[in-house]
Amino acid sequence: MSRITERLTELGLELPAVAAPVAAYVPAVVQGNLVYTSGQLPFVNGSLPATGKVGAAVSAADAQSYAKICALNALAAAESVIGSLDRVTQVVKVTGFVASDPDFTGQPAVINGASTVLGDIFGDAGIHSRSAVGVAVLPMDAPVEVELILAFA
C-alpha cells in the first residue's frame, strides 16, 4: 500500500473515480514536473450533493465540505495522469471558486475545506498558495469548484 493511500485510510478518506468531463477538456494535464487539474466540482457518485449559491441555498459549512470533495476529485484526476500520489512533492496552488450570494464574503473559509484536507494528506508538502474567488454561477449550478497545481517527481 502506498504512503498516501495509507494516509487517506488513516483519515477515513477514499479517492473517488475520476469525474467524467462535462465539456471539451481532460481532467488533468502534465507539463514538466507539474500536474494541472481542471476545475473539479463536488461530484459524489456522479451527481452534485447540492446546487445553488453559498450564503443562500447552501450554507458556508456545507460548502466547505463540498470544497473538500472537490479537492479529493482533483487528486483522483492528478493520480490518473501520474500513476501515484506518492510522487507529489508539493501542492503548489489551489484555486477555489465559490458561487456566492451577493452578500456572501466567506469564500476563504469555504475553500479552507480543500486546503485543510490537502494539508492533512500531504503534511508539509500540502502547504500551498491559494486564491478563493466568489463568482456569480458555476457549471451545473455547483456551489464550489476547485483546481490544483501539483509538483511531482
Side-chain angles (χ1 to χ4, degrees):
M1 185 180 293
S2 80
R3 176 181 53 85
I4 296 300
T5 301
E6 287 177 6
R7 185 65 184 139
L8 288 166
T9 300
E10 289 172 8
L11 294 168
L13 301 171
E14 187 175 322
L15 288 186
V18 178
V22 297
Y25 61 89
V26 294
V29 172
V30 171
Q31 176 61 47
N33 70 329
L34 297 175
V35 176
Y36 295 81
T37 71
S38 295
Q40 298 293 311
L41 302 179
F43 285 120
V44 176
N45 297 321
S47 62
L48 294 173
T51 58
K53 306 294 180 277
V54 179
V58 178
S59 73
D62 285 347
Q64 188 177 74
S65 71
Y66 302 147
K68 176 180 177 179
I69 294 168
C70 292
L72 294 172
N73 287 341
L75 291 177
E79 184 177 63
S80 76
V81 295
I82 64 170
S84 171
L85 292 178
D86 285 338
R87 296 181 67 193
V88 173
T89 58
Q90 186 69 53
V91 177
V92 177
K93 174 88 186 243
V94 173
T95 305
F97 303 95
V98 181
S100 301
D101 181 78
D103 294 325
F104 182 74
T105 60
Q107 293 83 6
V110 168
I111 301 306
N112 277 348
S115 293
T116 300
V117 77
L118 293 168
D120 290 346
I121 293 167
F122 292 105
D124 288 345
I127 297 170
H128 53 270
S129 64
R130 186 179 90 176
S131 298
V133 181
V135 297
V137 68
L138 288 167
M140 302 174 68
D141 202 24
V144 293
E145 180 174 348
V146 172
E147 61 184 45
L148 303 178
I149 301 172
L150 307 170
F152 71 98

